[in-house]
Amino acid sequence: MASNSMDIDFKEYQLRCQLRGHEDDARGICICGNAGIATSSRDRTVRFWTLDESQKRDYTMSKILLGHTSFVGPLAWIPPNDDFPEGGIMSGGMDTLILVWNLTTGEKVHTLKGHKLQVTGIALDGSDVVSSSVDCTLRRWRGNQQVEEWEAHKAAIQAVIKLPSGELVTGSSDMTLKLWNGKSCIHTFQGHADTVRGVAIMPNLGILSASHDGSIRLWALSGELLMEMVGHTSIVYSVDAHASGLIVSASEDCSAKIWKDGICVQSIEHPGCVWDAKFLENGDIVTACSDGIVRIWTIDHERTADTVELDSFASQISQYKLSRKRVGGLKLEELPGLDSLKTPGSSDGQTKVVREGDNGVAYAWNMREQKWDKIGEVVDGPDDNMKSSALNGVQYDHVFDVDIGDGEPIRKLPYNRSENPCDVADKWLLNENLPLSYRQQIVEFILQNTGQKDFTPDPLFRDPYTGSNAYVPGAPSKFPDASSSEPSYKHIPKRGMLAFDTAQFDGILKKMSEFNSSLLSDPEKKHLSLSDSDMSRFNAIVKILKDTSHYHSSRFADVDVALMLKVLKTWPVAVLFPVIDVVRMIVLHPDGAAKLMQHVKDQDDIVIEVIKKVTASPPLPANLLTCLRAVTNLFKNTCYYEWLLNHRAEVLDALSCCCSSSNKNVQMSYATLILNYAVLLIEKKDEEGQSQVLSAALEMAEGETVDSDSRFRAMVAIGSLMLEGLVRRVALDFDVLTIAKTAKASKEAKIAEIGADIELVAKQS
């Protein structure tokens, strides 16, 4: 624990105890009078901790409150009353809900539903409750009913508190605080250079604010700036004050800082980002950390932790620092030791980085003298990607994930630095049964991802398949130069639209005819069945769709399209999916897309009707899958752009249930829809639309059960929206950095890479 002994009277805070239980970041803290402490977490739970009566130092977990479906943030304490004899807790979540809990039973007693986006603050105002949200509104609740709602800022609201004098104070991503008397704003406090993330009361003086600009400010209620506290090196998430005049702040820079008279008197290091910090009445401090542990700190020697606990904390800190130390893009702890230099190198000049103490040192193999020559200490530069990877038990310098798109599976491409990229591309395309027309892309992909800016093909090289010379990439300027100031991204921004353009047509027709027979044999549904001539029309439609080489000239008969629409409208929902699958392919045909367009502009919009049908509960995975893919394919034709923009909110709201689907194909299709929407909305500079798509993509990136391909596409959408869209700041307010950090630690290369891309774009000012 570092400290500045600026103040003779100031006693250092020491660790008192560690509250273990949360399975993910501890996010929020609420001091519940003398009853205990409530904490919220990314693990979707609220936990209630009470003082261990036997030794009066530790706290033990007495309740776990389960009910939120995503991470939980703000908390509020309801002091004991007739309804809550032992008090109650209110919690707000990313799931847009405020839940009210009875501490006597640990049960959820009310759900306050109304906010459109994440709930960020909860304040008790007499018997009313006031809540703030990223949806820019404040809402007032009375007796569990919403009684008022108003747009309090033009950007996300991050916090709300109630002053002893009765007014409300809000902090927002618009960089201001506002003071409210009822629904009227009395004053706007301007001065922060970035989002105002936390607000608190400074007893008898005014209001404290914590900001993404790294500072804490103290304001008089008149709006006058009384003091600015600067010392944190990153976002300050929260601030709190004690009756003694001390202030504590919590930051992304992994510290909680204690301030007295505007000066930092102590900085308490943590093994992770500190999300929240609050004072207990006795002056002890509670902190919530991204390692999931809630810690209490004290200046009272009687309550200080024993040496075992203090040593355990010291080792958590040093482990954490070590895990953060990187050498040439590699984690220090993953480097081999000096022993590895006993193994001879395989080629002259081959380099190896080994760990010596707390540093990485590079050696090069000297073929002539058969020894490793020391080059020197490696300093951390851009990620050099020198890790070796394995595929099918063979070690390679690199194993890349290649996404061909078009709904194809991700494929593995192994590569060693000593190989000619052209040879590798050709062999790989043959093995994977892919067209050689992809060759140029694959060669560029290998060069970009291995940092070979100055690759020159061997002039004697003859392409074994075409007999001509190898493809030569254009000027080296195409590839990101390590020294250039422009950041280089691997996966963003996304260009172009993805589509699902392969179909099992015979399977589709077989399923339709099977369903048709079952309708025929049911007296009540017989009238819905198709005649033989109708079925043969569907065969004709499929024949046109199969013949892709004539797409530019083939046409559908109006009667065929009319028949298909009739089936979509009349067949029972359980048997719709093969018909929707035909629509999915028709929208990729120029004439089919144009003819269907006529029925989308009308009052009875067939696409919206189908979406409503298939998402009505309980939805069938096969219906969701075909519907998602059909809507995704609309993006391949610009004539649908206006429709997609006008119906964005409706389409995404209806299909949002797909995020939590347990079916991997449904997840993947939903992620692809989100990614296509991101590309379109960036092009159209539609900020409101980008916010909705960002929110959907973040939910997907956070999902516990989302498979990696779907998560990857959702994260490409997030990164692209941050890089080229208008919602970078909104993403930062949504803790996108935490998602990026989690992704960077993934064992899957592409997830780690897109995590790094997002972190990089977050750091660009």
Side-chain angles (χ1 to χ4, degrees):
M1 262 181 272
S3 78
N4 318 343
S5 323
M6 302 288 294
D7 192 296
I8 308 223
D9 310 331
F10 177 72
K11 289 203 187 87
E12 289 268 295
Y13 275 86
Q14 299 278 343
L15 182 67
R16 168 177 165 181
C17 59
Q18 304 193 71
L19 283 48
R20 291 184 170 86
H22 282 299
E23 290 162 24
D24 210 332
D25 297 43
R27 291 294 302 258
I29 300 162
C30 178
I31 310 301
C32 304
N34 296 321
I37 299 167
T39 56
S40 64
S41 162
R42 187 172 282 275
D43 68 8
R44 310 171 181 202
T45 69
V46 175
R47 295 174 194 240
F48 186 67
W49 314 78
T50 48
L51 188 60
D52 181 333
E53 287 302 328
S54 61
Q55 34 83 321
K56 300 275 188 200
R57 182 183 70 201
D58 296 345
Y59 275 74
T60 48
M61 196 188 335
S62 72
K63 298 253 178 359
I64 302 183
L65 312 179
L66 297 164
H68 283 286
T69 57
S70 186
F71 70 76
V72 195
L75 298 167
W77 162 240
I78 305 168
N81 59 28
D82 292 348
D83 293 334
F84 301 103
E86 292 177 32
I89 289 170
M90 307 187 77
S91 56
M94 179 78 172
D95 56 13
T96 74
L97 304 177
I98 298 158
L99 303 183
V100 185
W101 310 87
N102 184 341
L103 272 184
T104 311
T105 58
E107 295 296 315
K108 173 179 80 177
V109 286
H110 301 297
T111 301
L112 310 186
K113 194 173 177 191
H115 281 296
K116 298 277 189 291
L117 294 167
Q118 176 186 350
V119 179
T120 52
I122 303 171
L124 277 137
D125 185 5
S127 58
D128 288 0
V129 174
V130 177
S131 58
S132 64
S133 162
V134 174
D135 67 13
C136 307
T137 66
L138 285 179
R139 292 172 196 247
R140 180 178 290 277
W141 310 81
R142 190 169 297 153
N144 315 309
Q145 294 296 316
Q146 182 181 310
V147 290
E148 270 185 329
E149 157 197 357
W150 69 101
E151 186 182 84
H153 291 260
K154 288 284 182 222
I157 307 175
Q158 296 294 344
V160 61
I161 56 167
K162 180 185 171 259
L163 302 180
S165 48
E167 299 92 342
L168 298 170
V169 178
T170 51
S172 162
S173 298
D174 65 10
M175 309 193 279
T176 70
L177 295 90
K178 286 180 188 281
L179 179 66
W180 300 88
N181 187 350
K183 282 164 72 172
S184 37
C185 174
I186 312 167
H187 191 80
T188 301
F189 301 75
Q190 288 173 318
H192 278 296
D194 206 332
T195 295
V196 176
R197 187 59 176 262
V199 286
I201 295 164
M202 181 80 194
N204 309 318
L205 272 177
I207 309 161
L208 286 162
S209 58
S211 167
H212 283 204
D213 65 14
S215 75
I216 299 127
R217 289 175 173 233
L218 171 61
W219 312 80
L221 288 187
S222 61
E224 185 192 348
L225 176 63
L226 301 176
M227 194 182 288
E228 184 173 15
M229 287 154 267
V230 180
H232 283 293
T233 55
S234 188
I235 292 174
V236 188
Y237 286 119
S238 116
V239 62
D240 194 35
H242 187 253
S244 64
L246 287 184
I247 292 168
V248 64
S249 55
S251 166
E252 172 74 28
D253 67 10
C254 305
S255 77
K257 290 188 187 294
I258 297 149
W259 310 80
K260 185 172 182 184
D261 304 326
I263 290 164
C264 178
V265 287
Q266 189 180 357
S267 185
I268 304 177
E269 290 182 276
H270 282 66
C273 140
V274 188
W275 284 112
D276 200 4
K278 292 271 194 295
F279 280 103
L280 288 167
E281 199 182 341
N282 64 9
D284 286 5
I285 290 170
V286 188
T287 57
C289 179
S290 63
D291 65 356
I293 299 177
V294 176
R295 296 178 176 85
I296 304 185
W297 309 83
T298 186
I299 46 176
D300 185 333
H301 287 304
E302 303 274 295
R303 293 197 294 269
T304 306
D306 56 33
T307 44
V308 178
E309 192 79 331
L310 291 172
D311 290 348
S312 134
F313 178 68
S315 87
Q316 288 169 38
I317 290 285
S318 57
Q319 285 278 183
Y320 180 68
K321 283 186 170 167
L322 213 56
S323 74
R324 300 256 289 202
K325 179 154 187 180
R326 298 181 85 79
V327 177
L330 300 176
K331 286 192 174 167
L332 182 68
E333 53 188 8
E334 288 170 5
L335 292 178
L338 284 164
D339 284 359
S340 67
L341 296 178
K342 291 174 182 162
T343 317
S346 53
S347 59
D348 196 43
Q350 177 192 347
T351 57
K352 182 180 263 190
V353 180
V354 299
R355 178 173 173 181
E356 293 182 17
D358 277 352
N359 297 310
V361 179
Y363 287 82
W365 179 247
N366 180 332
M367 203 69 166
R368 203 169 52 222
E369 296 179 30
Q370 289 287 300
K371 70 180 184 70
W372 289 98
D373 292 337
K374 185 168 182 169
I375 306 171
E377 196 175 301
V378 181
V379 292
D380 192 19
D383 200 331
D384 294 338
N385 260 342
M386 287 163 67
K387 304 187 198 66
S388 69
S389 313
L391 180 64
N392 304 330
V394 182
Q395 284 293 326
Y396 294 94
D397 292 340
H398 302 274
V399 175
F400 298 115
D401 283 325
V402 182
D403 185 359
I404 301 292
D406 305 338
E408 291 278 326
I410 302 281
R411 300 162 194 255
K412 300 282 182 195
L413 165 61
Y415 175 73
N416 287 318
R417 280 173 178 269
S418 56
E419 294 177 297
N420 181 314
C422 302
D423 287 358
V424 174
D426 289 335
K427 273 190 202 139
W428 184 75
L429 290 168
L430 279 178
N431 280 344
E432 293 286 338
N433 270 331
L434 289 168
L436 286 170
S437 57
Y438 280 141
R439 176 180 186 212
Q440 177 173 344
Q441 276 173 278
I442 298 298
V443 171
E444 282 195 23
F445 178 87
I446 293 172
L447 295 177
Q448 264 176 320
N449 287 292
T450 54
Q452 298 180 61
K453 294 176 284 296
D454 38 15
F455 165 75
T456 342
D458 176 352
L460 300 173
F461 172 84
R462 309 293 285 175
D463 178 348
Y465 310 105
T466 63
S468 65
N469 270 22
Y471 151 72
V472 183
S477 65
K478 265 187 147 165
F479 300 112
D481 176 9
S483 63
S484 91
S485 59
E486 278 298 299
S488 66
Y489 303 101
K490 285 205 167 167
H491 300 288
I492 58 174
K494 174 79 182 86
R495 301 270 185 247
M497 301 297 184
L498 296 173
F500 295 98
D501 55 5
T502 52
Q504 306 291 330
F505 286 114
D506 299 337
I508 291 172
L509 288 172
K510 192 172 160 220
K511 205 72 185 156
M512 278 191 68
S513 125
E514 185 188 307
F515 285 156
N516 196 48
S517 306
S518 67
L519 291 172
L520 265 169
S521 58
D522 180 340
E524 286 181 12
K525 295 183 182 150
K526 192 174 177 182
H527 66 288
L528 301 174
S529 64
L530 300 177
S531 65
D532 290 349
S533 70
D534 286 345
M535 277 310 289
S536 67
R537 283 203 178 285
F538 268 100
N539 284 312
I541 291 174
V542 164
K543 195 173 172 196
I544 295 174
L545 290 174
K546 277 182 169 175
D547 183 11
T548 50
S549 59
H550 289 93
Y551 265 32
H552 60 288
S553 58
S554 54
R555 298 283 179 268
F556 290 96
D558 289 335
V559 283
D560 294 347
V561 177
L563 172 69
M564 189 181 65
L565 295 172
K566 184 184 124 183
V567 176
L568 282 174
K569 284 173 183 277
T570 58
W571 270 26
V573 74
V575 297
L576 270 187
F577 62 88
V579 192
I580 301 172
D581 224 13
V582 175
V583 176
R584 164 175 76 92
M585 298 308 292
I586 280 185
V587 300
L588 296 176
H589 185 290
D591 182 59
K595 285 209 164 68
L596 184 73
M597 187 72 209
Q598 302 311 310
H599 302 275
V600 166
K601 285 183 164 166
D602 300 346
Q603 287 307 302
D604 53 343
D605 182 329
I606 187 65
V607 181
I608 288 292
E609 192 180 323
V610 169
I611 292 173
K612 283 180 175 160
K613 258 191 196 172
V614 304
T615 52
S617 59
L620 294 174
N623 276 346
L624 289 177
L625 186 63
T626 49
C627 180
L628 278 166
R629 291 180 167 182
V631 177
T632 300
N633 284 1
L634 294 176
F635 287 85
K636 281 306 242 192
N637 200 315
T638 51
C639 75
Y640 283 98
Y641 282 5
E642 191 185 346
W643 184 91
L644 287 161
L645 291 166
N646 291 340
H647 294 82
R648 166 200 36 91
E650 201 175 353
V651 169
L652 289 174
D653 283 347
L655 293 167
S656 62
C657 60
C658 301
C659 181
S660 51
S661 167
S662 55
N663 182 307
K664 295 227 182 314
N665 292 326
V666 169
Q667 286 181 8
M668 180 63 168
S669 305
Y670 179 61
T672 310
L673 173 67
I674 286 174
L675 184 50
N676 279 359
Y677 253 124
V679 174
L680 178 61
L681 292 158
I682 288 168
E683 185 191 312
K684 301 294 180 194
K685 299 188 167 43
D686 174 343
E687 188 172 355
E688 185 193 340
Q690 289 176 25
S691 293
Q692 186 187 9
V693 172
L694 175 71
S695 189
L698 286 164
E699 189 180 353
M700 192 138 216
E702 286 251 321
E704 305 272 311
T705 54
V706 177
D707 82 302
S708 66
D709 287 343
S710 309
R711 172 168 288 142
F712 175 72
R713 287 194 175 179
M715 291 184 72
V716 171
I718 294 167
S720 301
L721 285 164
M722 289 176 71
L723 180 63
E724 296 208 322
L726 306 162
V727 290
R728 182 174 158 275
R729 170 166 283 157
V730 179
L732 291 171
D733 294 340
F734 267 128
D735 300 328
V736 74
L737 273 172
T738 308
I739 295 173
K741 280 179 191 160
T742 310
K744 272 179 72 180
S746 168
K747 292 182 179 63
E748 289 197 57
K750 62 174 186 179
I751 297 281
E753 288 164 5
I754 184 63
D757 278 356
I758 290 174
E759 192 172 77
L760 190 56
V761 82
K763 287 181 179 156
Q764 303 306 313
S765 53

